[in-house]
Amino acid sequence: MKNSILTARSLSKSFAHNGEQVHILSGVDLDIYEGDFTVIMGASGSGKSTMLYALSGMDKATAGSVIYDGKNIVIMSEKELARLRYSDFGFIFQQMHLVSNLSLYENVVVSGYLNKKQSPAEVRERADALFKRIGIDHIKTHLPSQVSGGEQQRCAIARAVINQPKLLFADEPTGALNRKNTTEVLDLLTGLNQNGQSILMVTHDIRAAVRASRLLYLSDGNIIGELTLSPYEHSAEKSRETQVNAWLSSLEW
Ligand SMILES: Nc1ncnc2c1ncn2[C@@H]1O[C@H](COP(=O)(O)OP(=O)(O)O)[C@@H](O)[C@H]1O
Ligand SMILES: [Mg+2]
C-alpha cells in the first residue's frame, strides 16, 4: 500500500476572462503517491500547468483542498507556502530559469546554501556527486549560455534536487528540447525516480509520458483516465509506447 504524499479534494480553479469566470479545474479529486513517477497528460490548454501550480502551492486554487503533510496548502499564508515550497518541493520547467551570470555549479550550490538544510560542505559534496552522476561535471564552470539546452535542463534538475525535495514537480521539462536532449533528461528523471524520488510531471509529450509509473489524463477540468505501468525499462520502450498510445486513443487523444 503506497502512502499518499499529496491529496486534492474538490480542487477547482477558474480565471476571470472578459468579465466571465472560466473554469479550468472543476472539482478534481486526486492522490499523488510516494515513490511514484506520476504523469498528467492532456491537450495543450487543458489546464495541466494550472493543475501543477494549484497542487504545488505556486498558485491558489479557487476552491477545494490540497493536503500535504497534514496541512491544507490552499489556506496557507504566502509566508508558510514559500517556506514549504522551499523546504519540501523541487521545481523544473520548460524554460530552465538558470541565473545567467552564475556558472552551472554556482546555480546549484547557491540554491543549497540559501536553503540551509545542509551545511555548505554537505551542499558541495552533494552537488559534486550530482554533477558527476548527471554527466555535466566537465562543464560545471560554464555559464548557462555556453551549454546546450539539454545540459541546462540537467543543471536545472540538479538545482531542483540539491535540497532533497520530498516531491519534484515538472512542467513540460522536455518541451524546449530536441530528441537527443529529451532522452537524456528523461533518463535522468527515470534514474532519480528509481532511486526513490517522487515525481509529478505534466506534459503532452508521449516520449515523456511513457516514463510514468502512473499516468493520468486531464480533460474538461477533470481527470478522466488513469493507467498504471510496470517499472520502466529501455528495452521495453516500444511496447510501452504502444500501450500508452492505445490508452490515449481510448481517451480520444
Ligand atoms: N493566469 C491566467 N489567467 C487567465 N487564464 C489563464 C491563466 N492561466 C491559464 N489560463 C487559461 O487556462 C487554460 C489552461 O491553461 P494551462 O493550465 O496553461 O494549460 P496547459 O498547461 O494544459 O497547456 C488556458 O485556456 C489558459 O488560457
Ligand atoms: Mg502548460
Side-chain angles (χ1 to χ4, degrees):
M1 190 52 194
K2 283 181 173 170
N3 287 325
S4 175
I5 189 167
L6 205 59
T7 303
R9 290 291 177 266
S10 307
L11 188 68
S12 297
K13 177 77 184 176
S14 40
F15 295 109
H17 186 68
N18 292 337
E20 274 183 49
Q21 287 293 309
V22 182
H23 302 287
I24 307 300
L25 303 177
S26 314
V28 175
D29 291 327
L30 175 64
D31 284 272
I32 303 299
Y33 299 102
E34 210 169 17
D36 266 358
F37 190 156
T38 308
V39 173
I40 302 176
M41 280 201 92
S44 183
S46 60
K48 299 182 297 298
S49 296
T50 302
M51 173 97 107
L52 195 80
Y53 298 162
L55 289 174
S56 61
M58 277 198 288
D59 195 8
K60 286 268 182 213
T62 311
S65 61
V66 177
I67 308 297
Y68 173 81
D69 200 14
K71 297 199 186 80
N72 183 1
I73 69 169
V74 175
I75 55 169
M76 269 186 189
S77 69
E78 273 308 319
K79 202 171 161 188
E80 269 181 299
L81 257 184
R83 199 180 309 130
L84 171 68
R85 285 195 303 256
Y86 213 56
S87 64
D88 286 34
F89 296 162
F91 293 93
I92 50 175
F93 304 93
Q94 178 170 341
Q95 303 305 329
M96 298 77 184
H97 301 304
L98 296 173
V99 181
S100 61
N101 60 348
L102 295 182
S103 70
L104 299 188
Y105 191 75
E106 286 164 343
N107 264 281
V108 173
V109 291
V110 163
S111 182
Y113 297 158
L114 289 171
N115 188 277
K116 298 196 174 101
K117 213 195 259 176
Q118 308 164 91
S119 72
E122 284 169 337
V123 169
R124 285 192 294 274
E125 200 178 308
R126 184 164 163 79
D128 289 341
L130 278 169
F131 270 74
K132 289 200 179 82
R133 178 151 152 239
I134 290 175
I136 52 172
D137 198 48
H138 61 297
I139 47 168
K140 67 179 176 188
T141 59
H142 286 42
L143 294 173
S145 60
Q146 297 171 322
V147 306
S148 74
E151 288 161 342
Q152 286 183 41
Q153 192 59 292
R154 284 190 276 158
C155 177
I157 294 171
R159 180 184 57 183
V161 300
I162 186 73
N163 298 313
Q164 299 174 291
K166 298 267 180 13
L167 183 55
L168 176 62
F169 292 92
D171 188 356
E172 307 270 9
T174 59
L177 303 179
N178 65 23
R179 177 172 275 275
K180 178 173 169 285
N181 286 332
T182 292
T183 304
E184 283 172 8
V185 163
L186 293 175
D187 284 348
L188 173 55
L189 291 175
T190 297
L192 287 169
N193 176 249
Q194 285 168 346
N195 281 314
Q197 177 69 59
S198 306
I199 301 176
L200 174 58
M201 173 167 80
V202 304
T203 187
H204 69 270
D205 181 350
I206 294 184
R207 289 170 305 173
V210 297
R211 303 300 180 115
S213 59
R214 179 177 176 230
L215 258 173
L216 302 163
Y217 195 81
L218 178 65
S219 178
D220 288 333
N222 225 314
I223 302 291
I224 60 159
E226 172 164 0
L227 179 69
T228 304
L229 291 157
S230 55
Y232 176 83
E233 283 175 59
H234 262 306
S235 56
E237 172 127 0
K238 275 279 159 273
S239 66
R240 199 178 184 89
E241 259 177 40
T242 308
Q243 188 187 2
V244 170
N245 274 314
W247 175 73
L248 287 171
S249 306
S250 75
L251 296 162
E252 295 171 6
W253 164 254

